[in-house]
Amino acid sequence: MKGKWRMVWWALALGLSACSIPFSYDVNVLEYTDPSSPLLSGTFEVGSGGISPNPKTIGPVTVPYNPDPRVSLSGATLDYEVCFTSQTPRAIFSGTLTYTAYLGGDEATLFTEANKLGEGSEDISGLSTGEVCVKGRANLSQAQVQALSSGTFYVGAVVSGSATSGQQATVRYETRRFTLRLAGTVRP
């Protein structure tokens, strides 16, 4: 009888060690980037001819980390928010700004349609009196999840749109949130 119990406990321990536990975890990508990273903040010009340059490319920004071999990712979601403010007093704005986020596993091909992640647009007439924020949420493709699993991935953004200003004006962007919600399993 003693031997049977030992076999049962051994089989149970072996079974538990093979089990995977589901998890969900938020990663603030902004904490993994250099403080001087263009992903965090920067400026561009808006005049009567529109945004200069249009589109304004931000990045690519390298995000390295040490993946845990016990973790298997099955999906991820990006939650982002970027806010724009005018640095030019009394400037009057019209039109829209569009913010498009990108994530991929290769720096050279980051800004391709396959790596496009989320996109949002806002009317910028409010820049004359305060800030205008673009926010959104998007699910990563399977290729983007694999890029996350690799240990190094790249992020970036593109600002574009029909924004104009009655005078040459400097607009500052500040990324407030760029959070990945990871889902998957972990082995004990």
Side-chain angles (χ1 to χ4, degrees):
M1 189 70 161
K2 202 178 213 184
K4 278 189 171 185
W5 279 110
R6 188 174 303 152
M7 288 276 288
V8 168
W9 284 111
W10 183 81
L12 185 59
L14 184 62
L16 286 175
S17 67
C19 288
S20 295
I21 301 165
F23 78 93
S24 178
Y25 185 74
D26 288 350
V27 175
N28 180 355
V29 174
L30 302 178
E31 291 177 0
Y32 290 87
T33 59
D34 185 290
S36 63
S37 169
L39 184 66
L40 299 177
S41 65
T43 61
F44 57 92
E45 299 295 311
V46 178
S48 59
I51 300 168
S52 180
N54 190 7
K56 163 74 173 172
T57 303
I58 302 165
V61 175
T62 306
V63 183
Y65 73 102
N66 294 323
D68 187 330
R70 298 172 300 160
V71 172
S72 176
L73 292 179
S74 60
T77 303
L78 172 68
D79 188 15
Y80 67 90
E81 179 180 20
V82 62
C83 294
F84 301 91
T85 54
S86 173
Q87 305 291 290
T88 306
R90 297 180 295 285
I92 305 295
F93 297 90
S94 63
T96 61
L97 280 176
T98 300
Y99 178 87
T100 307
Y102 291 83
L103 187 148
D106 180 44
E107 181 176 19
T109 61
L110 177 62
F111 295 106
T112 61
E113 190 67 26
N115 293 325
K116 187 175 175 180
L117 186 50
E119 184 173 80
S121 295
E122 287 294 330
D123 181 316
I124 64 159
S125 58
L127 279 182
S128 305
T129 57
E131 71 179 13
V132 171
C133 297
V134 176
K135 51 183 133 180
R137 179 172 289 140
N139 292 323
L140 277 68
S141 69
Q142 195 55 44
Q144 290 168 322
V145 171
Q146 287 175 345
L148 290 179
S149 299
S150 72
T152 299
F153 62 95
Y154 301 89
V155 294
V158 170
V159 176
S160 60
S162 63
T164 61
S165 174
Q167 67 185 84
Q168 195 65 22
T170 301
V171 173
R172 180 168 192 77
Y173 67 86
E174 181 183 343
T175 305
R176 302 264 174 88
R177 189 171 55 253
F178 207 93
T179 303
L180 291 168
R181 170 158 286 185
L182 308 177
T185 55
V186 61
R187 292 188 314 272

